[in-house]
Amino acid sequence: MVVSILAGGIALYAMNLYFTAALLPSIVGDIGGDRYYAWVATGFLMAAVIASMLVSRILGNWGGAKAYLTGFLVFAAGAAINAASPAMEILLVGRVIQGFGGGLLAGLGYAVIRTALPEHLWARAAGLMSAMWGVGTLVGPATGGLFAEFGAWRWAFVLLMVVAVVLAGLTLWALPRGGGSASDRTAIPMLPLALLTSAAAAFSLSSAVSPGAPTAITLGVGVALIAGFLVAEKRGRVSVLPKLTYAQGNSLKWIYLTVAALCAGVMTENFVPLFGQQLGGLSPLVAGLLGAALSVGWVLAQTFSVGLAARSARRVILLAPLMLTGGLIAYGLLQADTASTPRMIAWGVALFLAGAGIGLAFPHLSVAAMSSTADPAEGAKAAAALNTTQLISYTVTSAIAGTLLRLGDASPVDSARLMTIGITVLTALGVVTTFMATRFRSRA
């Protein structure tokens, strides 16, 4: 029962982005707010980043049962607001609340294993946690698409709310109710988090202002705030990423930049169901499943890649951004006003190829992060921060994608091409960062 609660929390978080991406075309068609399309993901992700910074403190102060109960109930409250939303602005509030609860649940999943389960079950529980991400990838688009198919997007959020409330009830029954044993006294990196949140807001705002100078100004402000975030990270006493990231000559910065470049490509998935319905005339269910093609490639390739030897691992890390960028370029160029069935099959193949590139490299990037230092404790922190890097990349890329989508507003096919090719500029940077990461590692 304990494992079911831990796995259920991660599954709720993992499926949420894909679930909502499949619903969004129907939501916009019902309550409007198309200019805020990308904000739905950005708000959720930014709240999750902040929640991830608080996991150890909440767990230490309240204990596992209260921490999980808080996560499930906050998530349920956000889902309830989404279900009742009369306008996109209200739905965005619900998504932020949902993101905070979901980010807390995702972080708690691994943190509670040690205290809630006997040692002989740790490995099995950790494996189940990882499997939940694959479950979310496959179940999320299908479930969201099915609700959208029947025009019942509000009931989809009701379902999420009910599941979260049920898991909250099980938490009270299954997890020990004792308080925390060792509160984390490390200071919260307030300035870096404030700068990062402001940067995501600026990028998101650029999709809502008029094209031209206002868009350029808000994008410029976003870039400046990202630069400020990096300066604050390097110079501050506490930081979002491990201090080792900013040490001269260390490979960790290049590993994180590679993860960021690869994860930037994942955000394409949030818009594939929209393009599938607008350009291909697909039903919401089929469009939702098409949106999962990239993640399916990621999951299957990762299953194969985990068994590769170290020499082969270096090669697939170098290959990953090339496959991802090539797949996304092909997907972007294949967009057409009236897409035929063979063309849409080619979309799926291109997205699968792009996702396979990520899956080949990702297991070995975690190993590379742990290998960036001889200190086991610091190596564990470096590996754990990969999740934070993912969330940051998802957040910033989602906001930028919304702006690119808006710039092609007059034509759905122009929006699709501009957004996809724009994201490939970010993923192509991974070609450089993977070279630097593997080059530095080879010298260690």
Side-chain angles (χ1 to χ4, degrees):
M1 184 61 68
V2 172
V3 174
S4 299
I5 292 169
L6 307 189
I10 288 183
L12 274 178
Y13 175 82
M15 71 179 287
N16 209 273
L17 278 177
Y18 307 108
F19 185 86
T20 308
L23 293 171
L24 261 180
S26 298
I27 294 173
V28 170
D30 187 14
I31 64 175
D34 60 315
R35 67 170 57 195
Y36 302 120
Y37 198 98
W39 291 33
V40 174
T42 304
F44 179 89
L45 290 165
M46 194 64 251
V49 171
I50 296 171
S52 71
M53 297 290 102
L54 302 176
V55 167
S56 60
R57 294 164 181 81
I58 292 175
L59 183 60
N61 286 322
W62 296 352
K66 289 183 180 178
Y68 257 104
L69 185 64
T70 300
F72 283 127
L73 292 181
V74 170
F75 186 92
I81 293 172
N82 292 339
S85 295
M88 184 62 81
E89 291 84 353
I90 304 300
L91 188 130
L92 291 175
V93 173
R95 287 293 287 169
V96 169
I97 295 172
Q98 221 182 356
F100 191 89
L104 185 58
L105 292 171
L108 286 170
Y110 291 96
V112 173
I113 287 176
R114 188 180 184 91
T115 57
L117 294 172
E119 186 173 354
H120 69 276
L121 292 178
W122 288 356
R124 189 176 300 177
L128 182 60
M129 301 299 103
S130 298
M132 287 302 99
W133 294 99
V135 171
T137 296
L138 298 174
V139 174
T143 307
L146 188 62
F147 276 97
E149 189 84 27
F150 293 99
W153 66 266
R154 295 184 187 276
W155 287 102
F157 288 111
V158 170
L159 174 64
L160 286 180
M161 179 190 70
V162 170
V163 171
V165 170
V166 169
L167 288 171
L170 292 176
T171 296
L172 290 174
W173 178 59
L175 290 182
R177 301 190 190 184
S181 57
S183 179
D184 186 346
R185 301 296 180 182
T186 306
I188 299 173
M190 295 299 296
L191 180 58
L193 277 176
L195 290 168
L196 182 61
T197 303
S198 299
F203 285 129
S204 295
L205 186 61
S206 66
S207 67
V209 299
S210 302
T215 299
I217 290 171
T218 49
L219 286 174
V221 169
V223 171
L225 288 167
I226 288 291
F229 164 75
L230 294 174
V231 171
E233 280 276 283
K234 185 175 182 180
R235 296 182 179 178
R237 186 172 60 86
V238 291
S239 56
V240 174
L241 299 176
K243 281 296 182 183
L244 191 64
T245 308
Y246 307 99
Q248 188 173 1
N250 191 277
S251 64
L252 194 56
K253 65 178 70 66
W254 300 111
I255 295 168
Y256 287 155
L257 287 171
T258 298
V259 170
L262 296 179
C263 288
V266 177
M267 284 296 96
T268 310
E269 287 187 313
N270 283 342
F271 304 91
V272 171
L274 176 66
F275 302 149
Q277 292 184 49
Q278 287 184 339
L279 304 177
L282 296 176
S283 68
L285 176 58
V286 177
L289 292 173
L290 178 63
L294 187 146
S295 284
V296 171
W298 178 347
V299 171
L300 293 180
Q302 182 166 291
T303 302
F304 161 78
S305 182
V306 292
L308 294 178
R311 181 175 299 180
S312 298
R314 183 177 184 274
R315 293 172 183 164
V316 297
I317 289 175
L318 290 169
L319 181 62
L322 295 173
M323 290 178 62
L324 173 60
T325 303
L328 291 182
I329 288 174
Y331 172 72
L333 295 178
L334 284 166
Q335 300 302 307
D337 282 313
T338 305
S340 62
T341 298
R343 183 180 290 268
M344 287 186 285
I345 292 173
W347 290 356
V349 172
L351 291 169
F352 183 91
L353 174 67
I358 303 174
L360 286 175
F362 225 80
H364 308 292
L365 290 170
S366 179
V367 175
M370 287 185 283
S371 304
S372 62
T373 175
D375 185 334
E378 289 299 310
K381 291 179 183 178
L386 287 173
N387 181 60
T388 305
T389 305
Q390 283 181 260
L391 289 174
I392 292 172
S393 177
Y394 289 160
T395 303
V396 173
T397 306
S398 175
I400 293 173
T403 300
L404 295 171
L405 193 73
R406 186 72 173 169
L407 291 176
D409 220 4
S411 165
V413 70
D414 287 344
S415 292
R417 287 175 180 163
L418 186 60
M419 190 278 296
T420 307
I421 300 302
I423 287 180
T424 63
V425 175
L426 301 177
T427 62
L429 296 175
V431 176
V432 177
T433 61
T434 51
F435 174 76
M436 296 300 292
T438 53
R439 177 169 172 260
F440 271 89
R441 282 190 72 210
S442 64
R443 290 179 175 181

